[in-house]
Amino acid sequence: MLVTTSGEPSFVLRAMGRDSALAQASLRFSLGRTTTVAEVEAAVAVCLAANPALCLMQCNTNYTGSIENFRYVNLRVLETFARRWPGMPLGFSDHTLGTTISLAAVACGANIFEKHFTASRSLPGPDQQGSMEPKELEALVKDIRAVERALGAT
């Protein structure tokens, strides 16, 4: 996955273009703090020139432990991506607690997810408290499949 805090991944992508194995790999472009449509469009053009197997991932780089920070998640951008690049896989890099926001992302068009996972939140480490445990991940996958069925065909 290519993660950017600006819309300028071109140095990585130029290197990818020189490496045939990387150029053939599926690319997930996580848009962190990219703020303008022009930046996203320029980045997507560079990505697609290097590799047409692209997935745009909406990512909130503010780890949103509190509901007050949900305003930074901006799931509607997935709908904008879908209109601008029809047929492109869309994803959501979810740093919120629980499953609610991931399920909403499905309704907005996401079909690839990144979510922190741990065998146990009692383990040491900086991401443990915000990570899902096995039963929670199982429930998330089940609920995502239910939302996908409920959305129906386009």
Side-chain angles (χ1 to χ4, degrees):
M1 180 184 302
L2 173 62
V3 179
T4 182
T5 56
S6 73
E8 190 48 55
S10 60
F11 72 97
V12 173
L13 295 168
R14 281 194 295 273
M16 278 181 53
R18 291 189 295 269
D19 184 318
S20 61
L22 285 175
Q24 299 304 315
S26 176
L27 178 62
R28 284 163 181 73
F29 182 28
S30 185
L31 299 159
R33 294 182 185 155
T34 302
T35 57
T36 69
V37 173
E39 286 178 320
V40 175
E41 287 181 343
V44 167
V46 172
C47 289
L48 291 175
N51 183 340
L54 176 64
C55 169
L56 287 178
M57 303 280 294
Q58 171 60 358
C59 175
N60 176 12
T61 55
N62 177 1
Y63 283 56
T64 55
S66 70
I67 198 163
E68 292 80 28
N69 288 331
F70 280 11
R71 68 181 183 266
Y72 300 113
V73 175
N74 193 18
L75 291 177
R76 292 205 188 274
V77 76
L78 292 166
E79 296 166 346
T80 301
F81 293 164
R83 283 190 302 274
R84 177 62 182 88
W85 296 284
M88 181 177 292
L90 300 175
F92 180 53
S93 183
D94 189 1
H95 299 123
T96 65
L97 299 176
T99 63
T100 304
I101 306 305
S102 286
L103 297 175
V106 173
C108 291
N111 53 29
I112 296 174
F113 290 86
E114 181 248 332
K115 185 89 170 161
H116 289 229
F117 175 76
T118 184
S120 171
R121 279 191 284 278
S122 65
L123 293 171
D127 291 333
Q128 300 304 324
Q129 291 305 308
S131 298
M132 298 189 99
E133 291 183 331
K135 292 211 179 286
E136 295 166 315
L137 182 62
E138 183 180 338
L140 174 62
V141 171
K142 179 182 169 212
D143 291 346
I144 285 173
R145 297 297 174 245
V147 170
E148 289 171 336
R149 284 190 302 277
L151 287 171
T154 56

